[in-house]
Amino acid sequence: MTNRFLGVRRAVLAAGSVALLGLVTGCGSGSGDGTSSAPRTESGTATSSATGTPTGASSVPTDAVSNSLTPSAPPASASVTRCHTSELSASVGRNNPGAGQENFPVVLTNTSHRTCTLYGYPGTAFVDASGKQLGPDPERSAAKPETVKLAPGGSAWAGLSFSNPEISEAATATPAALLVTPPDEEDPLKVTWKGGAVPVSGDESSVRLIPFSPGTGA
């Protein structure tokens, strides 16, 4: 997984462009203190632990939703359609640090009895205990998405990376949870965050995402 994260970071630097990503339906707006008053999430099911549990859309940060939108998703076959929040659980895998970066796999697992697909990026937003978004909107890498077909019980992961705050000296906060919205959905999943402090303002405070791939990223 380290090679994939490093490869994506090189692609991001070479491309020189990233798209803003949010967890709800609109793009979040950060404030000077590294928080936004109304974080957004798009699709996904929130969890209180390793697996996601659904949260009400009205209480979810907007970034979490808008970031999950996929402008050019390929058409699904008549028999296999995209995975919906209610059919998924969310979790965050173990950190795989390297080259001054913290790298976490964000995992969605098909808990339904049908095969469905994921294409693109999750919507994500770090939130505090009150549900307020912490830090700037995530950025999408330039990596090309692929359609991932999930059989019942199958998983896909998307990489979430940020610079180690001890190296970048960015201001930090410790989130209570990460909201995860599946691609093109509007309801997020809530996962208890156990990864420690994250950058919320200052230089090198951006959180970056790579699109879904098959597996758990372990």
Side-chain angles (χ1 to χ4, degrees):
M1 185 174 73
T2 301
N3 290 338
R4 175 168 170 76
F5 274 115
L6 293 176
V8 170
R9 283 199 296 275
R10 293 192 190 100
V12 173
L13 292 175
S17 64
V18 287
L20 288 179
L21 174 62
L23 196 91
V24 183
T25 324
C27 293
S29 56
S31 61
D33 61 357
T35 64
S36 90
S37 58
R40 297 165 301 200
T41 49
E42 189 161 62
S43 57
T45 310
T47 58
S48 57
S49 61
T51 39
T53 57
T55 63
S58 61
S59 64
V60 178
T62 323
D63 291 337
V65 173
S66 63
N67 286 345
S68 70
L69 296 178
T70 306
S72 57
S77 68
S79 59
V80 181
T81 58
R82 79 167 189 264
C83 301
H84 300 296
T85 298
S86 61
E87 300 173 310
L88 299 166
S89 65
S91 61
V92 176
R94 185 174 58 183
N95 184 18
N96 185 22
Q101 299 288 310
E102 308 302 316
N103 305 305
F104 294 87
V106 177
V107 182
L108 292 181
T109 299
N110 183 1
T111 59
S112 75
H113 299 292
R114 74 177 184 98
T115 296
C116 59
T117 62
L118 293 174
Y119 178 84
Y121 304 78
T124 60
F126 289 114
V127 295
D128 62 16
S130 69
K132 178 185 293 186
Q133 182 176 339
L134 301 173
D137 299 345
E139 298 176 343
R140 290 180 177 180
S141 75
K144 183 178 180 180
E146 62 176 301
T147 299
V148 181
K149 185 178 291 186
L150 294 185
S155 297
W157 70 282
L160 182 152
S161 301
F162 52 84
S163 297
N164 184 322
E166 294 184 1
I167 297 175
S168 67
E169 298 184 349
T172 64
T174 300
L178 176 70
L179 299 183
V180 180
T181 305
D184 300 316
E185 290 290 297
E186 295 185 357
D187 298 320
L189 295 158
K190 185 178 182 182
V191 183
T192 298
W193 179 253
K194 300 179 180 179
V198 301
V200 295
S201 65
D203 295 338
E204 300 298 325
S205 61
S206 295
V207 175
R208 293 166 295 279
L209 290 163
I210 60 175
F212 281 107
S213 295
T216 62

